[in-house]
Amino acid sequence: MLSHERVWAAIDALAARKGLSPSGLARRAGLDPTTFNPSKRIAVDGRPRWPSTESLAKVLEATGAPLTEFVALVSPEETPPCPVVPAGTTLPFAGLPEATTEGYFDDEGNPVGKGWDAIPFPDLDGNPLFALEISGTGWLPAYRDGDTVIVAPKAPVRRGDKVVVRTSDGGIDLHVLHRRTARTIELHPLSASGTIVVLDLAQIDWIARIVWASQ
């Protein structure tokens, strides 16, 4: 059945297929970057809001996606849900290089799609979590090649936390959160030889805290 949730989910899924966040998709279509923000999906009176036909038309034109592709994404069978992980069993698992490709995350940093494997983890307590495998030596001495980090998209992020950061260009990296202001975020490297990064919040899709690592 057609619903507000399915139409908005289809927009999110189309953005992911093109390697974009919803705000990135809006920019590519020549729309205000906030057009597809969660706050725009609810009217002032609290009722669900439909995306305009004009914005949908611009999105299809900008991405080159046929209408049939978008209609298929509206179908629940065509859009894989975020993996449901029962407590005490497994976590969605992917290598860090694979996770930088399109279709692995929604706009809030939750794992979606069929590209995930699974890894055992005992006590999830119902929280959304996912696992990434470290590849290479770029994060020494904090993490070695082959280490696995467990990431919690919904966990509060505080100064000094090790975090996974996805930027609006689709890049994913690991940092230490040092400072966050109303406009910028300062990220420190995990390696002694790395450089401090200062980004506008508009350049950040999401930040998620690393809550556990196998070492």
Side-chain angles (χ1 to χ4, degrees):
M1 181 178 68
L2 185 65
S3 67
H4 298 82
E5 292 80 6
R6 291 309 316 158
V7 172
W8 286 113
I11 291 174
D12 292 340
L14 182 60
R17 284 190 176 186
K18 305 302 179 182
L20 300 167
S21 65
S23 59
L25 179 63
R27 284 192 292 268
R28 177 177 289 188
L31 302 168
D32 185 288
T34 66
T35 299
F36 301 141
N37 282 4
S39 61
K40 298 297 183 70
R41 305 181 186 193
I42 303 294
V44 176
D45 59 7
R47 291 183 298 175
R49 174 183 287 166
W50 295 96
S52 71
T53 53
E54 180 183 7
S55 63
L56 290 178
K58 288 184 176 181
V59 161
L60 296 179
E61 181 180 1
T63 60
L67 180 60
T68 52
E69 180 180 354
F70 183 78
V71 171
L73 289 170
V74 174
S75 170
E77 292 77 18
E78 293 297 325
T79 304
C82 179
V84 176
V85 184
T89 54
T90 61
L91 290 178
F93 172 80
L96 188 57
E98 290 79 16
T100 63
T101 60
E102 64 180 63
Y104 273 77
F105 298 97
D106 66 16
D107 198 39
E108 295 181 346
N110 297 304
V112 296
K114 298 180 179 179
W116 294 87
D117 202 338
I119 187 173
F121 191 74
D123 190 16
L124 307 184
D125 294 329
N127 295 316
L129 302 169
F130 62 89
L132 293 174
E133 184 178 54
I134 301 300
S135 178
T137 59
W139 295 277
L140 288 172
Y143 302 119
R144 299 168 297 180
D145 182 47
D147 284 347
T148 298
V149 296
I150 304 300
V151 187
K154 300 299 184 183
V157 179
R158 301 177 296 270
R159 180 171 178 167
D161 285 342
K162 294 182 177 69
V163 293
V164 176
V165 179
R166 173 162 173 150
T167 51
S168 56
D169 61 3
I172 294 179
D173 207 346
L174 279 60
H175 300 274
V176 175
L177 176 63
H178 181 70
R179 182 179 292 109
R180 184 171 186 169
T181 71
R183 296 182 179 179
T184 64
I185 187 165
E186 182 178 326
L187 302 166
H188 284 204
L190 293 175
S191 64
S193 60
T195 57
I196 294 173
V197 177
V198 179
L199 298 172
D200 291 337
L201 289 181
Q203 296 176 266
I204 305 293
D205 279 351
W206 49 260
I207 301 174
R209 181 155 61 96
I210 297 172
V211 295
W212 182 87
S214 66
Q215 295 182 307

